[in-house]
Amino acid sequence: GGKYCKVRDKGSLSLNPFIHIPEGESNSEKEEHKRYDSADIKQDVFLILESLFPSMDDDVSHNLGKSLWTICQKKKRNAIFSDIAVSMGRRKNPASRQAACIIRDFCRDYGHLFNAPDPLDLSNPLLVIEAAEIHDDKMLALFLIQALLIRIKAFQDENGEHKPFVLLIEEGWE
């Protein structure tokens, strides 16, 4: 048995990076920072957003980090990708508000891939992702590959690198 996902089918595939936040409560802000850092949320989201903001300036980077920290504190595993746009839109820095618009537009088109709970089960020995629908959408293909690699790394970090599985991305590129 394996799992078959189609990229465009809502609910079939979601790569929500917030799902990796450890459950439970922390006793201090220092402990909370440790949990946030251990989940690599900031690194994961920055990698996903890299192609949207190839030359992200320090102010936007700083505000994005602050937004992610606030989102993680408030919503933990229930956070969704579009929460980043909402939080960035509240920042005073014009470049951060511009970034919020770009993220919001991205979520309008591709949010179903990052906002839903993460049904991707890498404990399955076989995972096939049908990507024919995104063949001509280079931005989405780039995001999908980055997010999948991040998800695989997180799975291996959580479960050890010795759990073998096969991942087939069908028709994702020429």
Side-chain angles (χ1 to χ4, degrees):
K3 170 101 171 142
Y4 177 81
C5 304
K6 289 185 85 170
V7 172
R8 294 280 186 201
D9 288 353
K10 292 188 179 188
S12 179
L13 175 67
S14 178
L15 298 163
N16 185 340
F18 297 102
I19 197 72
H20 307 297
I21 297 174
E23 292 183 323
E25 295 298 319
S26 299
N27 296 326
S28 68
E29 188 170 324
K30 184 178 178 182
E31 198 176 300
E32 191 68 23
H33 267 289
K34 217 181 213 181
R35 288 162 40 94
Y36 167 72
D37 291 342
S38 74
D40 285 336
I41 299 299
K42 185 175 179 181
Q43 177 186 347
D44 293 354
V45 171
F46 272 71
L47 284 171
I48 292 169
L49 293 177
E50 210 169 52
S51 60
L52 282 180
F53 309 106
S55 57
M56 187 183 305
D57 69 27
D58 289 341
D59 287 338
V60 172
S61 176
H62 176 74
N63 283 327
L64 181 57
K66 285 172 61 174
S67 290
L68 290 171
W69 169 242
T70 302
I71 292 165
C72 290
Q73 272 189 308
K74 289 181 180 176
K75 294 192 169 187
K76 298 189 180 2
R77 295 184 99 161
N78 295 319
I80 57 175
F81 210 78
S82 53
D83 290 333
I84 300 168
V86 172
S87 183
M88 290 292 282
R90 294 181 181 138
R91 303 284 171 192
K92 292 180 179 169
N93 176 305
S96 294
R97 288 198 305 273
Q98 175 70 26
C101 292
I102 293 168
I103 296 168
R104 193 174 301 115
D105 289 347
F106 174 80
C107 287
R108 183 188 61 239
D109 296 334
Y110 308 121
H112 68 281
L113 291 172
F114 299 95
N115 282 340
D118 190 346
L120 192 60
D121 181 10
L122 294 178
S123 65
N124 220 320
L126 174 65
L127 176 63
V128 177
I129 298 175
E130 172 66 57
E133 305 98 339
I134 64 163
H135 187 269
D136 295 326
D137 193 334
K138 300 300 182 207
M139 179 183 279
L140 181 55
L142 177 63
F143 272 75
L144 178 68
I145 298 305
Q146 286 177 327
L148 271 171
L149 292 174
I150 289 166
R151 180 69 177 95
I152 291 167
K153 179 194 174 297
F155 175 79
Q156 289 179 328
D157 288 349
E158 292 169 14
N159 299 290
E161 295 180 14
H162 306 292
K163 183 147 179 111
F165 64 92
V166 175
L167 170 64
L168 172 64
I169 302 173
E170 186 180 8
E171 299 179 43
W173 49 80
E174 294 182 277

